[in-house]
Amino acid sequence: MTGVQTCALPICLLEGGRVCEDLEACHHCVPNVLSEAGQVLPYRLRRDFVFFALSLVDLLVFPSRYLAETYRRAGFPASKIRVQSNGVEVERFGGPRADVMKPLRIAFVGHLGAHKGISVLLDAIDRLLRRPGPKNQWSMSIAGDGNLRSIIEEFTRDPARRENVRFLGKVAEEEMPGLMRETDVILD
């Protein structure tokens, strides 16, 4: 095994939005890290420590196949890797709505970072708004926080988008069931 890839940024995105596939290149993005004592250490030392620590575990559990595959490609044996999606208590969110003829309600709920495809989401919203016909057939709510928050805030303030798109910011966990009950399609 050459070492574990735990992205130093931690998003595995390069300039232009391309996903980094080079499991040995983290030191190019982040050459050094700080120790708890404030010492500047080479990134490779951190990476090797993380690899060593993770190699001692009996099982690595990941919330997605993508993440599990990333660690498998980094050299961890497939026999130590399991995928367990984040569980959802479906009852908390209610069933399908009765008023199916109402406009489609879409929500993005998650981290507002480039690795979540935010640029694709914003482009899709603009494409929908450019389509001929009535604009009241759908609405989009965006909930979350992250380094692209200011871009989302500016995007949703545009008068041409305000009727269809709203930015909610970070939504408290206890408010999430209400948001999900009033939503037909969830993106994350």
Side-chain angles (χ1 to χ4, degrees):
M1 288 188 260
T2 59
V4 66
Q5 164 66 18
T6 54
C7 181
L9 295 181
I11 56 173
C12 295
L13 282 184
L14 302 171
E15 291 289 324
R18 291 179 300 118
V19 175
C20 179
E21 298 288 337
D22 186 348
L23 301 179
E24 297 292 323
C26 286
H27 65 278
H28 294 299
C29 294
V30 180
N32 300 306
V33 293
L34 288 178
S35 71
E36 288 181 13
Q39 280 182 295
V40 176
L41 301 171
Y43 181 79
R44 172 134 186 139
L45 187 60
R46 175 201 177 267
R47 190 196 70 178
D48 291 349
F49 173 76
V50 170
F51 172 75
F52 171 74
L54 291 178
S55 70
L56 298 176
V57 303
D58 294 325
L59 187 65
L60 295 164
V61 180
F62 299 100
S64 70
R65 286 189 303 266
Y66 173 81
L67 194 55
E69 178 59 20
T70 299
Y71 277 73
R72 191 204 55 74
R73 282 189 305 113
F76 285 95
S79 62
K80 281 189 162 189
I81 294 174
R82 296 285 181 277
V83 175
Q84 177 64 51
S85 65
N86 295 324
V88 175
E89 297 173 38
V90 179
E91 304 78 37
R92 288 180 61 202
F93 304 102
R97 67 179 177 161
D99 56 344
V100 293
M101 296 309 289
K102 300 282 182 175
L104 181 67
R105 301 170 300 186
I106 308 164
F108 171 89
V109 179
H111 178 76
L112 303 178
H115 65 291
K116 288 292 201 168
I118 297 297
S119 63
V120 174
L121 174 65
L122 301 184
D123 182 54
I125 290 169
D126 280 344
R127 286 176 182 230
L128 283 170
L129 288 170
R130 285 193 303 267
R131 289 178 62 182
K135 305 294 181 233
N136 63 350
Q137 296 176 351
W138 62 275
S139 67
M140 168 71 72
S141 298
I142 302 174
D145 201 4
N147 61 315
L148 297 181
R149 181 186 178 111
S150 61
I151 291 169
I152 300 295
E153 288 172 331
E154 182 179 335
F155 182 87
T156 56
R157 275 196 298 267
D158 183 322
R161 299 180 183 113
R162 217 175 300 161
E163 189 175 317
N164 292 79
V165 185
R166 65 185 178 140
F167 178 60
L168 305 173
K170 186 173 174 79
V171 174
E173 185 178 338
E174 60 271 8
E175 295 173 19
M176 198 59 69
L179 173 62
M180 299 233 181
R181 269 192 300 276
E182 64 185 46
T183 302
D184 300 309
V185 178
I186 301 284
L187 309 172
D188 89 276

